[in-house]
Amino acid sequence: MQINTMEAIEVLGTISFAISGSFAAMQKRLDPFGVLIIAFVTSVGGGTVRDLLLGDTPVAWMRDVNFCLLILLTSIATIFFKTHIKKFKVTLFLFDSLGLGLFTMLGIQKGIVFGLGPGICIALGTITGCFGGIIRDTLLNTIPLIFRKEVYATVCILGGLLYFCLLYFNLKEDLAKVVVIAFIFIFRIIVVRYKLTLPKFGY
């Protein structure tokens, strides 16, 4: 059951980030090849950094070509349906938030498989959830969300803490995953809706 659940999370996370990457690229008016590249790095960037830190090589997408095909098909579908979606910014935000929750949970689970402590697992979850977006925004010449006033990585950290708290109180593991993914998705929407921010430092 656990394997099936994590496979589903990985597939849904890949699709979500491929869509958000595609929309981000189309906002910048990139050509189809550029859209595909941005979708690809958004989907696999965080997982690649995570696997390299763990020494788990070749990294996941190199071992399973199906994820590359999934990103390709998702990008093509997103380009095809772009004329039916008027609010690019809203669509990008929703799929980015969903991917953030899914990939954060995926990174936490990868740390658990490697026998790491809760703190490191949460860090790996945050890396998995955030680094694809960092690479995407950097390539698109945009300041990454994680470095701006918007609460981003903090949501991943809170989600990770919630996950281990739920396990501590003996909630079923699969249910805890769903709760945490939903928490990250909903909390990020609330944060943006009510313009909640962390303190800014600078001149």
Side-chain angles (χ1 to χ4, degrees), residues 168-184:
Y168 178 80
F169 287 106
N170 298 316
L171 188 69
K172 289 184 178 180
E173 188 175 346
D174 285 341
L175 181 57
K177 292 172 187 174
V178 173
V179 170
V180 170
I181 291 168
F183 167 81
I184 293 173

Side-chain angles (χ1 to χ4, degrees), residues 24-95:
M26 286 188 288
Q27 279 187 312
K28 294 288 187 176
R29 299 184 179 278
L30 270 60
D31 63 22
F33 181 73
V35 172
L36 175 61
I37 293 300
I38 297 300
F40 184 81
V41 299
T42 306
S43 297
V44 306
T48 298
V49 174
R50 176 203 66 215
D51 289 350
L52 290 174
L53 288 173
L54 290 171
D56 185 19
T57 55
V59 295
W61 61 269
M62 290 183 174
R63 296 195 298 264
D64 189 352
V65 71
N66 289 326
F67 282 101
C68 297
L69 294 175
L70 180 62
I71 295 168
L72 174 62
L73 292 175
T74 302
S75 300
I76 293 172
T78 305
I79 293 171
F80 179 77
F81 286 110
K82 70 174 182 176
T83 55
H84 302 286
I85 301 175
K86 303 298 183 183
K87 296 183 178 179
F88 272 25
K89 189 173 183 179
V90 174
T91 306
L92 167 60
F93 167 70
L94 290 176
F95 279 101

Side-chain angles (χ1 to χ4, degrees), residues 17 20 89-101 104 129-130 136-137 145-146 148-156 158 180-196:
F17 269 166
S20 76
K89 189 173 183 179
V90 174
T91 306
L92 167 60
F93 167 70
L94 290 176
F95 279 101
D96 189 65
S97 299
L98 180 59
L100 187 67
T104 297
C130 295
R136 174 197 67 203
D137 292 344
L145 285 173
I146 193 174
R148 286 187 271 163
K149 63 180 181 179
E150 187 174 311
V151 176
Y152 197 79
T154 307
V155 180
C156 302
L158 292 176
V180 170
I181 291 168
F183 167 81
I184 293 173
F185 177 69
I186 294 170
F187 188 61
R188 180 155 150 70
I189 291 174
I190 292 172
V191 162
V192 173
R193 171 66 179 82
Y194 293 100
K195 297 181 172 60
L196 304 176

